Amino acid sequence: MTNRLIIFDTTLRDGEQSPGASMTREEKIRVARQLEKMRVDVIEAGFAAASPGDFEAIRAIAETIRESTVCSLARASEADIERAGEAIRPAPQKRVHTFIATSPIHMEKKLRMTPDQVVEQAVKAIGWARRYTDDVEFSAEDAGRSDLDFLCRIFEAVIRAGATTVNVPDTVGYNLPRQFAGTIEQLLARVPNADKVIWSVHCHNDLGLAVANSLAAVLAGARQVECTINGLGERAGNAALEEVVMAVRTRPDLFQLETAIETTQIVPASRLVSQITGYPVQPNKAIVGANAFAHESGIHQDGVLKHRETYEIMRAEDVGWAQNKLVLGKHSGRNAFKSRLAELGIVLESEEALNAAFARFKELADKKHEIFDADLQALVSDETVTPAQEHFKLNYSQVTSETGETPRAKIILGLDGEERKAEANGSGPVDAAFKAIEQVVQSGTQLLLYSVNAITTGTDAQGEVTVRLMKGERVVNGQGADTDIVIASIKAYLNALNKLYAGLDKVNPQGNV
Ligand code: KIV
Ligand code: ZN
């Protein structure tokens, strides 16, 4: 058995199934680049058959990523597998991940298939997938509630048919660590040729046990963990990549395993995913929460000052906290700006976009003396709309908020070169500004989420705003950052409207398959 643990990241597929976390093609490419920089072994880039948008995003990732394996999910049908195989074609290392449900409730009520038919379909699926790549993964959906004998039977059949990784998902997060480890042990012991494939696990967090179950499975012999940045994912989410990786690294005495992960890229990845999806990271979240390495109690502070390991089992800099260093200032030039963006994995597509971002950086440097990596990431967050797609542009705003008076906003928007003015009252300055914008735009959208986060500390910090809008079944996330949070809010609102207008949204991600 190997001492290498394969990290399979599904932030762009299962993670994207979190309500409202859908990403545009450019955002997905940005996340994929960061995952590659972090040396994730396998990037599950999406579900190619879900929509043409999903297909295109996977294809673009397959054209961009050189080091990690690029994978697409597919149901066990020839049409799905063909879409997956075509989408990943340009990748140097590619994987098709096909699945079918194996629990009695799923087979009977959802698939309306007999167990024999399910095995037959799974075997056929492996054959279809092998037309595109030798790297084929099979998942027994809802394995956590499946009959062990049946699991042994289907895994034996798919291994014989050519699957190279077999995945045991606890799809509904029902298992407990000892039980799940027992299942893995049994499968490894009973399935013929079990030693010829990689055993993988994919745990959901409905009972808060996704990481515990994944780690228990690793101790029982699993050598791939499927996980997501910040534990994003369907319902309560998936196992958090950062927790799995750091547990294995911090406890070599128990695991004796290595991952390829460049752990200093964990915090930048967490920030990027949070910023793009609008899912904030709770301050006390392990590894990536703002307080994960903060010592509040005097006794703890005293202990850490005397000897760090009295209260610290990991070093903040090892997971990338120190990476948020002071990077640039008012006098930094365009080249320094560009190369720092490149170090952060941010590639702006055109000179025009770079110039616009540099102009915004200079503006920010005038207002805020110390500019950190997180500020730079926020600065380019609304860069996902190209200048040509910027249909609605803020030319002017005046928003007043005075004790005892109703907040009022005056705005001037540029609409394809034409100026339109509006004024509105609101229950607060942001509400007034959004109402004024709506007078002009009349988007007919529903506001699903409005959230503000301070990017760094201090009252001169930039506020980073996410606005999620829905129109019919279409959902978009808009981002905006500024030292003035009302301006950040207006930017985020317009960013969302521009995405909607330019068709940069996703229709009900994976919901229609
Ligand atoms: O949770 C699950 O079962 C899945 C499979 C498709 C692997 O996401
Ligand atoms: Zn899942």
Side-chain angles (χ1 to χ4, degrees):
M1 196 172 282
T2 125
N3 68 346
R4 177 78 152 67
L5 180 64
I6 296 168
I7 298 297
F8 175 115
D9 180 279
T10 182
T11 307
L12 295 172
R13 198 279 295 170
D14 217 322
E16 209 202 14
Q17 286 173 223
S18 310
S22 60
M23 300 171 223
T24 65
R25 178 177 169 277
E26 275 60 40
E27 288 166 341
K28 284 187 156 200
I29 295 172
R30 203 178 273 181
V31 172
R33 281 207 179 102
Q34 176 60 28
L35 294 174
E36 181 180 44
K37 195 169 176 195
M38 202 167 67
R39 303 218 194 105
V40 155
D41 297 287
V42 186
I43 299 175
E44 187 161 59
F47 191 165
S51 71
D54 278 282
F55 179 91
E56 289 307 329
I58 299 169
R59 176 52 84 102
I61 290 169
E63 281 163 358
T64 308
I65 298 301
R66 291 302 147 283
E67 304 295 333
S68 311
T69 296
V70 177
C71 169
S72 171
L73 185 68
R75 285 169 298 192
S77 81
E78 193 170 5
D80 261 38
I81 291 171
E82 188 191 322
R83 291 296 278 164
E86 287 303 329
I88 59 172
R89 199 182 278 285
Q93 290 96 236
K94 40 184 164 282
R95 175 179 295 186
V96 171
H97 175 193
T98 184
F99 73 99
I100 193 161
T102 51
S103 62
I105 185 170
H106 276 231
M107 290 192 288
E108 193 190 321
K109 306 283 181 207
K110 183 182 85 171
L111 298 176
R112 302 211 168 91
M113 287 168 83
T114 64
D116 287 348
Q117 288 170 325
V118 167
V119 175
E120 196 188 329
Q121 192 69 16
V123 168
K124 279 191 197 154
I126 304 303
W128 293 321
R130 296 276 313 209
R131 290 178 188 158
Y132 299 92
T133 170
D134 292 344
D135 186 348
V136 174
E137 174 170 335
F138 171 76
S139 281
E141 191 193 10
D142 205 15
R145 292 189 298 171
S146 300
D147 172 66
L148 187 64
D149 290 340
F150 184 61
L151 282 180
C152 289
R153 180 179 160 205
I154 197 163
F155 282 132
E156 177 181 354
V158 294
I159 293 171
R160 199 175 318 112
T164 45
T165 298
V166 287
N167 183 36
V168 187
D170 184 18
T171 303
V172 291
Y174 180 68
N175 280 231
L176 271 70
R178 193 181 290 187
Q179 172 198 10
F180 196 57
T183 302
I184 301 298
E185 258 162 33
Q186 286 289 314
L187 289 170
L188 260 73
R190 288 177 49 188
V191 173
N193 295 316
D195 58 333
K196 305 280 184 314
V197 293
I198 298 288
W199 287 85
S200 168
V201 288
H202 174 113
C203 297
H204 278 272
N205 207 28
D206 300 66
L207 293 172
L209 292 170
V211 171
N213 285 339
S214 303
L215 294 175
V218 169
L219 288 171
R223 286 295 174 265
Q224 173 177 285
V225 173
E226 302 197 352
C227 43
T228 57
I229 304 292
N230 300 337
L232 206 65
E234 183 84 35
R235 305 182 310 279
N238 289 61
L241 177 147
E242 60 277 9
E243 296 177 22
V244 171
V245 167
M246 290 314 290
V248 169
R249 185 181 145 130
T250 306
R251 297 304 305 269
D253 53 327
L254 295 181
F255 290 101
Q256 289 153 17
L257 286 173
E258 280 178 2
T259 72
I261 297 296
E262 174 50 60
T263 58
T264 56
Q265 292 302 321
I266 286 178
V267 167
S270 160
R271 265 211 212 97
L272 181 67
V273 168
S274 166
Q275 181 198 70
I276 286 177
T277 57
Y279 271 67
V281 176
Q282 76 197 53
N284 57 332
K285 164 81 181 63
I287 321 290
V288 292
N291 295 346
F293 292 87
H295 299 280
E296 190 67 19
S297 123
I299 296 172
H300 288 208
Q301 287 173 352
D302 178 56
V304 169
L305 286 173
K306 286 179 175 142
H307 188 81
R308 193 183 56 79
E309 283 164 27
T310 50
Y311 287 100
E312 279 190 9
I313 57 164
M314 294 168 275
R315 294 187 312 177
E317 54 271 34
D318 289 349
V319 297
W321 278 107
Q323 299 281 309
N324 187 27
K325 52 183 183 266
L326 175 64
V327 283
L328 297 170
K330 199 178 161 120
H331 302 294
S332 306
R334 194 171 170 282
N335 277 344
F337 175 72
K338 187 178 173 186
S339 60
R340 190 62 202 155
L341 288 186
E343 278 165 33
L344 289 173
I346 301 168
V347 182
L348 297 178
E349 299 302 335
S350 63
E351 278 298 294
E352 204 185 353
L354 179 67
N355 290 341
F358 186 60
R360 289 209 303 276
F361 160 72
K362 283 288 179 186
E363 253 173 57
L364 179 64
D366 271 339
K367 293 189 242 169
K368 187 173 187 289
H369 299 305
E370 300 177 321
I371 302 209
F372 297 90
D373 285 342
D375 287 312
L376 293 184
Q377 279 172 328
L379 196 85
V380 296
S381 61
D382 52 4
E383 208 51 55
T384 41
V385 171
T386 64
Q389 290 163 332
E390 204 178 7
H391 183 66
F392 307 109
K393 202 169 161 32
L394 178 69
N395 287 350
Y396 171 82
S397 74
Q398 187 192 74
V399 183
T400 50
S401 161
E402 203 180 326
T403 315
E405 297 295 327
T406 306
R408 186 158 183 78
K410 289 184 191 170
I411 54 133
I412 304 179
L413 292 188
L415 251 87
D416 288 335
E418 206 185 298
E419 288 214 318
R420 303 278 293 275
K421 296 182 186 164
E423 290 187 31
N425 289 342
S427 55
V430 172
D431 188 46
F434 286 8
K435 283 189 171 129
I437 293 172
E438 272 306 317
Q439 271 184 29
V440 174
V441 174
Q442 301 195 350
S443 69
T445 54
Q446 190 190 339
L447 181 71
L448 293 185
L449 172 101
Y450 168 74
S451 83
V452 192
N453 282 302
I455 295 175
T456 52
T457 51
T459 48
D460 70 344
Q462 289 196 89
E464 182 177 41
V465 176
T466 303
V467 164
R468 185 172 301 148
L469 297 179
M470 183 165 83
K471 184 164 186 175
E473 283 204 321
R474 303 172 64 195
V475 177
V476 283
N477 283 328
Q479 290 93 14
D482 201 283
T483 48
D484 177 331
I485 58 162
V486 179
I487 300 289
S489 305
I490 295 174
K491 284 183 181 171
Y493 198 77
L494 292 178
N495 183 243
L497 289 174
N498 280 323
K499 280 183 178 169
L500 205 57
Y501 198 81
L504 297 176
D505 55 323
K506 279 199 49 174
V507 181
N508 190 21
Q510 298 162 36
N512 49 357
V513 292

